[in-house]
Amino acid sequence: MRPNRLIWILIYALVVLSPTNAADFVLEIYGNANMDECLNQDDLDYIRDIVAGKNEPTKLADANFDGLVNEEDIEQLQAILDGREEMLTFIDMLGEPVTVNKPIRRLVNMGYNGVEMTRILGAEDILVAYGQDRTEHAAFFPKFAELPFVGSDHNECDYEKIISLKPDAVQTNIERASFTVGGLDQKRIFEKNLKDTPLICLNMREQDTLVQNVRTYGYILDREREAEEFIDWYSGYYDLFLSRTESLSEDEKPRCVFEYTPYYCYASGSNLGQVLTLAGGKNILDEKIGPDDPKYGSMLDIEPEFVVKENPEYIFKAVGSWESGYHIENASAMAAYQEQVTNRTELANIIAVREDNVHCMSYWILIGAGNNVIGTAYVAKLLHPDLFEDIDPVAIHQEYVDRFCRIDFNVEERGAFLYPPYDRWPVEA
């Protein structure tokens, strides 16, 4: 039997988390009767009061997800808190309830960052397949590089191979905010081809929902303690950045844009867009798209004329995980991408180009899991060196590698994560 989860709830209660990360969300696991951010004794009392007619039923009070709220839900929630439940129902990032049988001993993970979060929670031994061929990335994923790969795209993955591996669940690549558009259609294709296999679709990328999803994932994998350890670390840095940048005036925020391919850029609700905002930058795409737009969490094609008009002070270029990161010994590819931006004739008079503020950053320190804290640290240091004088992004990066990736890797001596490299930045390195 696993240690009683109430112990870890008490530990969590001692951790001060930001409203954005903790107090402002509902942990969407059935049994969370009082609809707060955790499961604990208060939920048991709440269900007892519902059964006694003293409380009205809530959406998540039906702990065993059978359509009724009764004594059996008290028994199910007690089992969850004791770590002996045989099933668990949660609401995924697409708003749909999903029931998994417990414990999960065999997991196929098709997500880009879901697999990294599985390692963070110390559950990498349950993985039986991964979405992509990671043999090139053995420096960062030594165990994952040895796994069979089954593909991640819903239309192209090897369903027969997945089924042959007899997984208890499949974590899909539906793991980022942009899947609010089209995500349900993709999930239906997974469901059609993976009948009776529970699908895990949790957002492992965007900063504003990561804590909620990691806590849910911790319950799914029976790694609540490990989840709270990561949440403590992650939220500590998140809170620090937020506390220093949320009070900046609009005039104090440098105008920025984060590009992937030429003029295909990240809106503010996306993972890299949130890096800019949390680091104290102003995304020029805010002039085009607001929080109410379904594509606010995605990337957009923008016109070169728009960039010229907005005249950003910083241009950030995201470099993919096959051309940068832990397995790359030099930054030549990143340097070429920087040159590609600075050589665009239409951008010759942009402030960012004139003042050498075009920066290439690797996906490995940006995309999701704990990586976006690293990227935020670098961007914050660049945009507001005085405000973040006491912050060492390299140390944060190394701490993440040592504590949560558990690999022997010196980020100062190896890999290609930034161009220009940090020791050439106009900050005290």
Side-chain angles (χ1 to χ4, degrees):
M1 182 184 299
R2 300 187 303 277
N4 191 303
R5 286 166 172 161
L6 289 174
I7 296 173
W8 304 119
I9 295 301
L10 291 173
I11 293 173
Y12 160 73
L14 299 176
V15 179
V16 179
L17 303 177
S18 75
T20 302
N21 265 335
D24 234 9
F25 73 77
V26 174
L27 181 67
E28 294 186 313
I29 293 177
Y30 282 82
N32 185 18
N34 66 355
M35 306 285 283
D36 64 4
E37 74 281 356
C38 59
L39 295 176
N40 57 20
Q41 181 66 41
D42 291 344
D43 297 297
L44 281 172
D45 295 339
Y46 202 102
I47 295 176
R48 288 192 179 101
D49 284 344
I50 292 173
V51 174
K54 298 178 183 179
N55 276 338
E56 290 295 318
T58 59
K59 177 181 178 180
L60 298 175
D62 182 11
N64 65 357
F65 198 60
D66 66 352
L68 303 170
V69 179
N70 53 29
E71 293 286 344
E72 293 180 6
D73 296 298
I74 298 173
E75 294 172 9
Q76 167 68 4
L77 179 55
Q78 187 65 67
I80 293 173
L81 295 177
D82 292 342
R84 54 180 174 81
E85 77 279 17
E86 296 180 356
M87 51 79 71
L88 183 83
T89 302
F90 65 96
I91 297 176
D92 69 15
M93 65 171 289
L94 300 175
E96 297 191 324
V98 176
T99 299
V100 293
N101 294 320
K102 305 289 297 291
I104 293 175
R105 294 190 174 93
R106 297 177 64 80
L107 177 68
V108 169
N109 200 312
M110 304 164 76
Y112 190 96
N113 287 115
V115 69
E116 194 168 350
M117 188 55 67
T118 304
R119 176 171 66 178
I120 286 170
L121 299 190
E124 62 184 352
D125 288 343
I126 71 173
L127 291 172
V128 294
Y130 182 45
Q132 300 184 51
D133 181 359
R134 289 290 187 179
T135 53
E136 286 187 36
H137 301 149
F140 187 65
F141 286 141
K143 289 190 177 181
F144 300 162
E146 300 171 358
L147 290 174
F149 58 98
V150 294
S152 55
D153 185 88
H154 58 289
N155 284 322
E156 298 177 1
C157 62
D158 190 339
Y159 288 109
E160 288 187 9
K161 191 171 185 178
I162 294 172
I163 293 169
S164 73
L165 292 167
K166 300 180 180 179
D168 298 311
V170 170
Q171 186 171 18
T172 73
N173 67 337
I174 301 172
E175 61 167 19
R176 62 183 186 272
S178 60
F179 277 107
T180 55
V181 179
L184 280 174
D185 292 338
Q186 295 188 33
K187 184 182 176 183
R188 296 294 173 261
I189 295 173
F190 281 124
E191 289 174 335
K192 178 182 177 182
N193 289 279
L194 296 170
K195 290 184 175 68
D196 302 321
T197 302
L199 301 177
I200 299 171
C201 304
L202 293 173
N203 188 336
M204 295 300 179
R205 299 199 185 186
E206 272 70 33
Q207 291 93 311
D208 59 348
T209 59
L210 186 62
V211 166
Q212 174 185 354
N213 285 275
V214 170
R215 182 165 292 142
T216 300
Y217 199 42
Y219 276 98
I220 293 169
L221 298 188
D222 301 324
R223 295 293 194 280
E224 299 84 4
R225 177 180 59 81
E226 291 85 351
E228 296 310 320
E229 180 185 352
F230 173 79
I231 288 169
D232 186 8
W233 177 84
Y234 182 89
S235 296
Y237 286 117
Y238 184 100
D239 293 353
L240 184 150
F241 299 132
L242 184 64
S243 67
R244 297 186 187 184
T245 62
E246 64 181 344
S247 60
L248 292 172
S249 69
E250 290 302 297
D251 290 340
E252 292 175 305
K253 299 175 183 178
R255 297 185 310 281
C256 308
V257 65
F258 223 127
E259 176 186 277
Y260 182 43
T261 56
Y263 303 111
Y264 189 48
C265 302
Y266 292 85
S268 288
S270 68
N271 46 359
L272 271 62
Q274 289 189 25
V275 165
L276 284 183
T277 301
L278 190 58
K282 179 175 175 58
N283 192 340
I284 64 171
L285 267 69
D286 290 346
E287 301 299 323
K288 272 187 170 291
I289 185 169
D292 295 332
D293 194 300
K295 295 184 178 180
Y296 188 66
S298 304
M299 292 184 279
L300 302 176
D301 283 308
I302 60 175
E303 307 80 13
E305 295 79 10
F306 173 76
V307 179
V308 172
K309 174 179 172 292
E310 293 299 322
N311 195 15
E313 298 160 75
Y314 291 86
I315 295 175
F316 295 96
K317 177 85 173 178
V319 181
S321 57
W322 266 263
E323 298 176 286
S324 65
Y326 296 85
H327 64 296
I328 301 295
E329 295 304 322
N330 64 73
S332 58
M334 302 185 83
Y337 277 116
Q338 188 208 44
E339 187 177 358
Q340 178 193 95
V341 175
T342 57
N343 284 349
R344 296 177 200 169
T345 56
E346 68 272 19
L347 299 183
N349 293 317
I350 295 293
I351 294 175
V353 174
R354 290 203 323 262
E355 298 187 0
D356 296 324
N357 278 326
V358 176
H359 290 266
C360 292
M361 302 184 69
S362 171
Y363 263 8
W364 293 99
I365 57 171
L366 289 169
I367 286 295
N371 301 297
N372 45 46
V373 156
I374 302 165
T376 300
Y378 280 112
V379 175
K381 187 81 170 184
L382 184 65
L383 301 185
H384 301 284
D386 294 335
L387 193 59
F388 292 98
E389 183 179 4
D390 58 329
I391 295 301
D392 183 352
V394 179
I396 295 174
H397 190 179
Q398 190 66 56
E399 183 182 14
Y400 176 72
V401 168
D402 293 343
R403 285 187 64 181
F404 300 108
C405 304
R406 304 176 191 91
I407 56 175
D408 182 12
F409 193 98
N410 188 317
V411 301
E412 283 192 274
E413 297 176 357
R414 300 171 60 193
F417 303 102
L418 302 162
Y419 192 85
Y422 185 57
D423 59 11
R424 286 170 46 189
W425 282 18
V427 297
E428 209 166 289

